[in-house]
Amino acid sequence: MTGIDMPTLGVVTASAAIDSLSPCAIGVLILMISVVLGGKDSVRRLAVLGSFYISAIFITYLLAGLGLTYYLTSIPLSVTEYLSLIVGGFLVIAGLIELKDFYWYGRGFSLQIPHFFSERIKEYAKRLTIPGVMFLGAFVAGVELPCTGAPYLAIITILSQNFNFQALLLLVLYNLIFILPLVVILSLVLGGMELKHVTNWKQANKHYMRLGAGVLLVALGWLLMLISNGTINFG
């Protein structure tokens, strides 16, 4: 088996790192932690519930990626090339919207989970059972994917053009990086950090998250369009 193509590895890693700073997934984890700690539950219970929540997000996102990849690989190559151009154009538009939100957040259209779903998520976050938090993680991932999963869509589209075992490993790597901030936050709280410090960090950096996402999406969009017309070939 040949080594994993380094440009592809770099694109996957960078995309996953930006996508991992998901305001929704992080926000729900913070809410769940506050509910657990507010109810005077043990740290061990927090570790168990948090682990199942993060695992559910990982599994749901990975399965969704595999499903979309399988669908794209079943499409004729001639159609896939045009589809890649369309997806690339969509990514550029999504990136420009994110950049708009960096400067003028709340004005006009934004890439965020609809209010109806965000309220449902808050309700589910209070169901502190293992099945409850697993459903919450799956629900968050499922709702978030079509709303803010544009980087993931770009990577799926790129990997589907030559999907093999290496591409599968890259898809798994993407999802591991995606949940890494959640693991870090949970570990810090379990280690004794006050939750307010995590919340303050999230609030202070949310605009920069959108800036990073915007730049990445515009770059990924152009990259995908250049790959689809043969200008760039990762091999």
Side-chain angles (χ1 to χ4, degrees):
M1 183 178 69
T2 59
I4 292 178
D5 182 57
M6 292 307 296
T8 306
L9 178 61
V11 171
V12 169
T13 303
S15 302
I18 294 294
D19 195 18
S20 69
L21 299 176
S22 161
C24 180
I26 293 175
V28 172
L29 178 62
I30 291 174
L31 174 60
M32 187 180 71
I33 291 174
S34 67
V35 172
V36 174
L37 297 180
K40 307 301 181 183
D41 285 323
S42 67
V43 173
R44 181 180 178 183
R45 178 168 172 76
L46 174 60
V48 171
L49 293 175
S51 298
F52 274 101
Y53 167 74
I54 295 171
S55 298
I57 289 180
F58 173 79
I59 293 171
T60 303
Y61 234 61
L62 179 59
L63 290 178
L66 289 172
L68 286 172
T69 302
Y70 176 78
Y71 172 73
L72 290 175
T73 55
S74 66
I75 297 176
L77 181 60
S78 58
V79 177
T80 303
E81 292 175 354
Y82 288 106
L83 183 61
S84 297
L85 288 173
I86 295 173
V87 172
F90 166 75
L91 292 174
V92 171
I93 294 173
L96 293 176
I97 293 174
E98 292 281 33
L99 291 175
K100 181 270 297 181
D101 280 344
F102 173 72
Y103 295 101
W104 304 288
Y105 182 75
R107 298 183 185 179
F109 181 77
S110 297
L111 295 176
Q112 57 187 359
I113 294 176
H115 179 73
F116 170 76
F117 286 117
S118 63
E119 291 300 314
R120 295 292 293 273
I121 289 172
K122 290 178 182 178
E123 294 177 9
Y124 294 146
K126 299 175 182 178
R127 300 181 181 179
L128 299 179
T129 63
I130 290 177
V133 296
M134 290 190 68
F135 173 79
L136 173 65
F139 186 77
V140 168
V143 171
E144 187 175 44
L145 184 59
C147 298
T148 59
Y152 196 30
L153 176 61
I155 295 303
I156 291 170
T157 305
I158 292 173
L159 294 181
S160 67
Q161 296 185 10
N162 183 27
F163 194 76
N164 50 27
F165 183 68
Q166 295 176 3
L168 174 61
L169 292 179
L170 288 172
L171 196 62
V172 172
L173 174 64
Y174 184 104
N175 284 276
L176 288 174
I177 296 174
F178 180 75
I179 63 169
L180 184 59
L182 302 177
V183 175
V184 171
I185 290 172
L186 181 62
S187 299
L188 289 174
V189 174
L190 292 174
M193 177 179 283
E194 294 185 21
L195 186 60
K196 66 179 181 180
H197 295 312
V198 178
T199 304
N200 291 340
W201 175 86
K202 176 178 177 291
Q203 288 299 114
N205 292 280
K206 63 180 181 180
H207 283 79
Y208 295 104
M209 294 179 191
R210 291 190 176 275
L211 175 62
V215 172
L216 172 73
L217 288 174
V218 172
L220 280 176
W222 279 110
L223 176 63
L224 192 55
M225 288 188 284
L226 291 173
I227 291 175
S228 66
N229 64 22
T231 304
I232 293 178
N233 183 8
F234 283 167

